[in-house]
Amino acid sequence: LPGGGGGGGGGTGAKARAFLFGYPHLLPKMQGEHLRDMLAAVRSKLGGDRVLVGVDLNGVTASNHTSSLLTPALGQIDVLHLNEEEASIICGSEDNTSALHEGGCAVVLLSLGSRGARISVTPDADRLSSAAGRLNRWTPGEVVRVPAFSIRGGAGGDDGKEAVNANGAGDALFASFCLAATWPRGEDEVRVGPREAGLFASLAARQRCDVRTRDGREGSGMEGAEGLMARVKIGDLPEAISS
């Protein structure tokens, strides 16, 4: 994620605010200590503690997971994104992500599908104080649940076509959460804590799931980052999906 004003990207020469890396379980030479060293090197190259480092898991299974996959690298990860099944494999339970924090991960973003997402913040104040973006202002040990939002038209869209396509929803959730977590501080300073970042990400994932807005075509009605953050700020949110 490049730097810049508002919620958008910066121009040429803009400094990076975040580095996002995905799918280490599919890259045998980018796991464990190798993953740790790579993330540390990239962070140093891009600006040290000023740059948020996020890692996205997608497709971790019992057959491709080992205890050494993430553990050595957790101290370099500011935001780790995974889903319920992956949490159960890695942590033994989707509700027991404390081991990830104990290993050094600052924030865990857990996708819950149509039930939204759960965000947990490390209880280690020292670790949190060294995290980038807005994270170092978050409350140690905080746990927040945010909903998924309904899509107009439900299961059936215009002309009888499907209105929902969830492919890529997790990617949108993760990237948007990291964008919100590094939201620039400006004159109209707005608190962006885990709840606000989660709601922002959920709104972005909703747009990705809606076949009418997912590709961002002109006239599709897709809102930009600043518009979504304004919605979060004033509480102008769609109806949540019941869970």
Side-chain angles (χ1 to χ4, degrees):
L1 298 174
T12 302
K15 296 180 179 179
R17 301 203 306 270
F19 172 74
L20 309 184
F21 182 78
Y23 314 159
H25 57 287
L26 300 179
L27 303 168
K29 295 184 178 180
M30 201 57 69
Q31 298 176 5
E33 294 179 355
H34 297 295
L35 177 61
R36 177 198 64 197
D37 294 345
M38 181 276 289
L39 295 177
V42 170
R43 187 195 297 273
S44 177
K45 182 73 172 178
L46 293 180
D49 290 342
R50 181 179 53 79
V51 176
L52 180 146
V53 171
V55 171
D56 184 20
L57 302 180
N58 187 339
V60 170
T61 65
S63 62
N64 66 24
H65 173 68
T66 65
S67 60
S68 62
L69 171 65
L70 281 177
T71 301
L74 285 171
Q76 288 294 330
I77 300 174
D78 293 319
V79 177
L80 178 67
H81 172 237
L82 68 170
N83 62 32
E84 298 171 273
E85 182 177 351
E86 291 162 339
S88 295
I89 293 170
I90 295 171
C91 305
S93 167
E94 66 181 69
D95 297 320
N96 182 27
T97 55
S98 59
L100 299 173
H101 292 309
E102 290 169 3
C105 179
V107 175
V108 175
L109 173 63
L110 182 68
S111 291
L112 302 173
S114 63
R115 295 184 290 118
R118 182 168 68 89
I119 302 110
S120 63
V121 181
T122 178
D124 186 340
D126 290 336
R127 171 65 181 95
L128 199 60
S129 68
S130 69
R134 302 281 184 138
L135 273 59
N136 54 36
R137 294 188 176 187
W138 291 3
T139 302
E142 187 171 5
V143 178
V144 174
R145 175 83 177 269
V146 296
F149 296 114
S150 62
I151 294 173
R152 57 188 174 86
D158 299 332
D159 300 324
K161 297 179 180 179
E162 287 292 315
V164 178
N165 180 349
N167 185 35
D171 294 330
L173 184 83
F174 171 58
S176 299
F177 182 86
C178 292
L179 174 59
T182 57
W183 197 262
R185 297 182 175 94
E187 294 180 1
D188 57 341
E189 177 71 7
V190 55
R191 180 185 187 273
V192 181
R195 179 179 179 275
E196 290 79 13
L199 290 172
F200 177 88
S202 190
L203 286 173
R206 174 179 179 263
Q207 292 196 135
R208 179 61 180 168
C209 290
D210 191 329
V211 297
R212 291 155 291 200
T213 58
R214 64 181 281 113
D215 295 325
R217 294 186 298 271
E218 184 176 357
S220 68
M222 174 179 275
E223 292 186 78
E226 291 186 358
L228 295 182
M229 187 58 80
R231 280 178 171 267
V232 171
K233 183 177 179 180
I234 65 175
D236 180 17
L237 304 173
E239 180 181 356
I241 297 175
S242 299
S243 60

